[in-house]
Amino acid sequence: MRTRVLGDSKRSMETRIIKAQSALNEALAVLERGGLVAIPTETVYGLSADASNGAGVARIFEAKGRPRFNPLIAHVANMNMARQVAIFDPLSEKLAAAFWPGPLTLVLPLKPGAPVHDLLTAGLGTVAVRMPKGFASELIGRLGRPLAAPSANTSGRISATTAQSVARELGGKVDLIVDGGQAAIGVESTIVKVADGNVLLLRPGGAATRDIERVIGMPVMRGTSGKVEAPGMLLSHYAPNARMRLNADTVNAGEALLAFGPRRATGSENASSTLNLSDAGELTVAASNLFEYMRRLDASGAAVIAVEPIPMDGLGEAINDRLKRAAAPRDGD
Ligand code: TXA
Ligand code: MG
């Protein structure tokens, strides 16, 4: 592939970007020959391949630099397809009926003979299934098979919420990028594991935990075992180059400021640059801006990004989870 040098940390951007409205046939052709297509979903952009094509799925791991033990989500277009992939019990049926298509991923027992390659599940007896909205759904419906799609970023880095960010992260490593505009939700799906009549939260995300609890009429359990339940939920993740300083109520000279709401931290006038996730303090707006603003402040070259406190309700749980991971000590990638 051709490479264009764009300066220090930027990757080549020679992968073609086409608008979602006219992308269906071309995307389909790439997937059918085992290629990689970056696609918009309502949460974040996904790096997709035909889930049943081992070579295609292997290329996902390669392009992201993702460890093979970290399984991928199988994206489906309808319940028929979902039932070919996983075994549903009454509880998971209820969750699917309430949230699909939408930002909820269910980890369920893998159905024998499921049309997904072993690489996707990393050999686990369970599979993560999600039914996305919009272009992704249409594409999967046309393909007639599930799509494997992790977030379209290099492993350990911030997820992409625009086609341009995908190009910066993975340009040259994917065959096609489909541009569906800015992702509506902006953080990844909530992941729950449904087993033995319980619902266990593996990753907070675009579906608020309390909305899940309302649907199932009981509390969602949170990991108590201490072991990593979603293998991809390593503590250090979403790593910007800058150090992240969370819950900042003061700002030091030269720090970049990731603000939230109408009131500023003390010393905010000292910030080298400021972006406000939501002037009005709306968590849904903050979620949709989160990754892009982290990326932009990081690109400003500041050594530290101070982050104002963000409440834990609704999407605040997912936002705080991603910030905590972005602030964690790096594990070498
Ligand atoms: O919103 C989303 O979920 C996006 C869009 C593209 O759909 N996808 C996404 O995929 O965030 P990814 O691969 O970046 O994150 C999926 C997470 C990983 O942490 C992985 O370890 C976990 O799901 N996972 C996948 N299969 C699993 C399984 N069988 N059991 C437990 N965790 C699983
Ligand atoms: Mg990811």
Side-chain angles (χ1 to χ4, degrees):
M1 276 183 198
R2 256 181 323 124
T3 308
R4 207 165 85 208
V5 179
L6 293 169
D8 47 4
S9 66
K10 297 213 176 72
R11 263 177 225 297
S12 77
M13 296 174 67
E14 79 272 19
T15 301
R16 221 151 54 82
I17 303 181
I18 56 178
K19 294 269 182 229
Q21 295 87 309
S22 53
L24 213 47
N25 289 335
E26 199 171 332
L28 205 57
V30 173
L31 292 171
E32 274 173 345
R33 58 169 195 265
L36 299 185
V37 184
I39 54 169
T41 86
E42 75 278 34
T43 55
V44 297
Y45 276 71
L47 173 58
S48 75
D50 176 347
S52 66
N53 184 318
V57 177
R59 285 190 63 206
I60 292 180
F61 286 91
E62 224 167 76
K64 278 183 66 90
R66 178 171 174 129
R68 299 279 178 118
F69 60 76
N70 189 0
L72 307 175
I73 298 172
H75 293 71
V76 298
N78 50 55
M79 277 312 290
N80 250 352
M81 200 183 278
R83 290 197 182 92
Q84 289 169 17
V85 172
I87 300 170
F88 285 73
D89 69 358
L91 202 50
S92 35
E93 287 283 353
K94 209 176 198 176
L95 284 167
F99 288 95
W100 284 357
L104 180 69
T105 295
L106 300 175
V107 172
L108 301 173
L110 178 66
K111 180 97 168 247
V116 299
H117 194 271
D118 282 348
L119 264 176
L120 175 133
T121 59
L124 298 173
T126 55
V127 63
V129 196
R130 171 164 116 77
M131 192 189 292
K133 285 186 186 165
F135 177 84
S137 163
E138 224 177 313
L139 182 62
I140 299 162
R142 284 280 301 277
L143 183 68
R145 292 186 293 277
L147 273 187
S151 51
N153 52 277
T154 303
S155 186
R157 293 182 51 82
I158 301 171
S159 299
T161 52
T162 63
Q164 291 69 32
S165 292
V166 175
R168 269 196 299 272
E169 277 287 312
L170 297 169
K173 296 184 170 181
V174 304
D175 301 302
L176 184 67
I177 298 172
V178 177
D179 185 353
Q182 184 177 339
I185 295 175
V187 291
E188 303 87 343
S189 61
T190 300
I191 305 179
V192 296
K193 181 170 183 168
V194 184
D196 308 323
N198 287 310
V199 176
L200 176 67
L201 182 67
L202 303 187
R203 175 177 79 181
T209 310
R210 63 155 189 263
D211 293 340
I212 297 173
E213 292 180 327
R214 205 171 294 139
V215 166
I216 58 179
M218 62 183 194
V220 165
M221 294 175 25
R222 285 155 204 269
T224 46
S225 61
K227 76 174 198 284
V228 182
E229 288 279 1
M233 295 311 283
L234 305 171
L235 187 57
S236 166
H237 207 80
Y238 306 95
N241 296 311
R243 194 165 69 75
M244 306 278 291
R245 194 165 66 75
L246 306 189
N247 296 311
D249 43 24
T250 58
V251 182
N252 303 316
E255 289 182 339
L257 176 62
L258 188 58
F260 175 77
R263 289 185 37 232
R264 288 293 60 71
T266 311
S268 61
E269 64 282 0
N270 300 328
S272 57
S273 44
T274 300
L275 289 173
N276 195 332
L277 288 169
S278 164
D279 293 314
E282 288 171 44
L283 289 163
T284 49
V285 176
S288 72
N289 288 325
L290 179 68
F291 292 138
E292 207 51 40
Y293 284 9
M294 277 171 63
R295 200 188 291 280
R296 276 200 233 158
L297 290 179
D298 198 27
S300 77
V304 178
I305 301 173
V307 186
E308 290 182 353
I310 296 178
M312 275 298 274
D313 42 298
L315 289 193
E317 187 179 7
I319 296 172
N320 278 297
D321 171 83
R322 304 306 187 270
L323 287 169
K324 194 171 96 198
R325 290 174 204 284
R330 305 298 145 74
D331 50 16
D333 67 355

